[in-house]
Amino acid sequence: MSQAEIAAITADAAADENVVVTTETIAEDSARTSSEEFAEAEAGRSGISDLERAGLFALGALAIGAILSNGQRVTARTDDRVVLQDQYGNFSVLKNEDVLVQTPGSNIRTETFNDGSMRTFVTREDGSQIVTIINAQGRVLRRSKIDIDGNEVLLIDDTRYFEPVEIEALPEPSAVDLAYLNATDTASLRAALRAAEQRDIGRTFSLSQVRQYRELRNLAPEINLDRITFATGSAAIAASEAGRLREIGLLMLELIDENPNELFLIEGYTDAVGDESYNLLLSDRRAETVALALTEYFGVWPENMVVQGYGERFLLIPTLKAERLNRRVAVRRITNLVN
C-alpha cells in the first residue's frame, strides 16, 4: 500500500461511527524494556474487572463477554496480561501482542472495532510504518511493514485459509537443535537457523498452527539461549546478561537485511516449581524480555519477532525441582513454515 492508500483507509475508518480511533506517541519512559522486572501475578476472579485491570480495555465489551460466556475463567493476571483456563483445563495467555512493535518515538494510530478487533498503524521516526490487524484476543492476524517508498513486506498473514495440520504426515523433527552456549561462531548459528530451508515440507502453515503444535515447531531447529539465565520468578535481563545475546542478535539482523520477511519465534519456558498459570505468565514475559533485549541492544526489528510462552511444558530437564536449565528462552527461525 502507498501512503496515499493508507491515508484513504484511515480516513474512512475515522468517518465510521462503528470504529473508535485513538492516537498516541510512545514516550521513552513509558515503553517496556528488557530490564523491567516481572510484576507480581495475582489470582483472577473470572470477572470483567480482571481483564480491565490487566490493561486490556481495548478488547471491548463484546469480546470480554464472549470470553467469559465460553466457560473460560481468569486464573492469574499481571498489569499487562491474563491467563485464561477453559472448561477442559487448558491455559492460554491473553495480551496485546502489538506492544512489542510500539518502540519509543513511534506514533500509534489504533482503530478499534465493535467486536474488539483492532488495526494499528505504527509510524516510526524514519517514516516507515508497521500495519497490524489484531483479533479480539490480542493475537496478531496480519502484519506488514511499509517502507518510506511505499513498498510493503508481508510478515504474517493468518487471514488466509490453511489446511488443518496432520501430525502423522509431517517429516521427522529437525536433528540440528543447538545449544547457544556451545556455538563458537556465527557460521554454526547461521547453519542451524537456516537448516529448515533444506527440507521440502510441501506447504505453509499459519502462525497460529506453528504456535500450537510442537511437532510443527520442531521442523525449525531450536537455538536454546542457555547463556541467558533467569532467577526464580524473574523475567528481567541485566545489561551484562544482554551482551551474551550478541552473536544471535547480529545474525538475526543480518538475516533480516538479506530477507526482510524473516520471522523468528521467541519461546519462553519455566521450571515446574509453583502454580501452572503463573508459570505460563512468567514464561511469556521471559520470551518478550529477550525479544526486547534483541531490539534494544542489537537493533533486531521487533516486527520480525513473535513471542510465545509455554510455561512448565516441555521441560528440558525432566524434574519437578527448581532447575535453572528449565528457566530458559529459545529462538526458532520459522520463515519457511509460514511464508
Side-chain angles (χ1 to χ4, degrees):
M1 292 183 291
S2 68
Q3 296 298 321
E5 290 171 324
I6 293 174
I9 290 172
T10 56
D12 289 342
D16 188 341
E17 62 182 14
N18 295 316
V19 181
V20 177
V21 178
T22 58
T23 59
E24 65 174 316
T25 299
I26 304 300
E28 188 76 36
D29 58 0
S30 65
R32 190 172 302 153
T33 67
S34 60
S35 61
E36 282 184 42
E37 191 46 85
F38 182 65
E40 185 69 24
E42 300 179 20
R45 289 181 292 280
S46 305
I48 289 178
S49 60
D50 289 305
L51 301 176
E52 291 177 336
R53 281 197 297 274
L56 299 173
F57 296 98
L59 289 174
L62 290 178
I64 293 174
I67 290 169
L68 300 179
S69 64
N70 284 339
Q72 295 174 294
R73 63 189 187 92
V74 177
T75 57
R77 65 173 178 82
T78 62
D79 58 352
D80 62 356
R81 65 198 73 197
V82 299
V83 169
L84 300 175
Q85 185 178 30
D86 64 22
Q87 57 185 324
Y88 305 105
N90 301 311
F91 293 98
S92 60
V93 175
L94 188 65
K95 63 180 180 181
N96 181 0
E97 291 194 320
D98 204 45
V99 170
L100 195 63
V101 301
Q102 298 179 5
T103 52
S106 299
N107 293 314
I108 316 298
R109 175 193 170 90
T110 302
E111 301 168 356
T112 304
F113 301 87
N114 280 347
D115 64 353
S117 63
M118 295 182 289
R119 178 171 54 196
T120 64
F121 298 82
V122 178
T123 304
R124 301 230 170 97
E125 293 177 315
D126 65 358
S128 62
Q129 281 191 323
I130 310 301
V131 184
T132 307
I133 296 174
I134 308 166
N135 70 10
Q137 285 73 45
R139 288 275 184 168
V140 172
L141 294 181
R142 192 180 192 277
R143 171 170 287 154
S144 62
K145 182 174 183 176
I146 303 170
D147 66 22
I148 57 176
D149 296 319
N151 302 309
E152 181 181 23
V153 174
L154 183 61
L155 297 166
I156 300 167
D157 190 4
D158 274 12
T159 63
R160 299 174 291 160
Y161 172 76
F162 292 88
E163 294 288 340
V165 177
E166 297 182 21
I167 301 298
E168 59 278 1
L170 295 175
E172 288 297 313
S174 171
V176 292
D177 289 352
L178 187 66
Y180 186 50
L181 188 62
N182 298 329
T184 57
D185 56 74
T186 304
S188 60
L189 285 173
R190 172 184 279 268
L193 283 175
R194 305 200 75 155
E197 292 181 353
Q198 312 303 320
R199 319 182 75 188
D200 183 14
I201 302 173
R203 58 163 291 188
T204 58
F205 304 88
S206 69
L207 175 59
S208 177
Q209 289 171 333
V210 172
R211 284 171 147 165
Q212 181 179 358
Y213 294 102
R214 186 187 187 188
E215 297 86 351
L216 187 52
R217 293 194 301 279
N218 284 345
L219 298 180
E222 174 190 280
I223 308 296
N224 182 26
L225 302 180
D226 46 5
R227 291 186 196 172
I228 298 294
T229 59
F230 293 96
T232 299
S234 173
I237 296 179
S240 57
E241 288 265 309
R244 299 174 183 174
L245 293 170
R246 184 176 187 276
E247 291 86 354
I248 189 70
L250 294 180
L251 176 56
M252 290 170 65
L253 187 58
E254 180 182 320
L255 292 173
I256 294 170
D257 286 341
E258 295 172 4
N259 177 22
N261 72 345
E262 289 285 0
L263 193 64
F264 299 92
L265 177 63
I266 316 297
E267 304 171 352
Y269 300 92
T270 69
D271 57 31
V273 176
D275 178 74
E276 184 176 0
S277 58
Y278 172 82
N279 284 341
L280 185 56
L281 279 176
L282 179 58
S283 67
D284 199 67
R285 186 60 181 270
R286 282 175 175 166
E288 184 177 277
T289 294
V290 168
L292 288 168
L294 288 168
T295 296
E296 292 167 17
Y297 292 95
F298 310 107
V300 179
W301 298 107
E303 59 269 21
N304 293 88
M305 295 183 284
V306 290
V307 303
Q308 179 68 52
Y310 292 100
E312 58 191 62
R313 301 174 65 196
F314 318 124
L315 296 173
L316 194 64
I317 307 298
T319 177
L320 298 179
K321 296 180 180 179
E323 171 57 57
R324 180 188 63 81
L325 294 179
N326 287 329
R327 302 192 294 269
R328 66 190 184 97
V329 170
V331 175
R332 298 183 196 266
R333 176 178 173 265
I334 61 172
T335 311
N336 288 65
L337 294 179
V338 300
N339 293 322

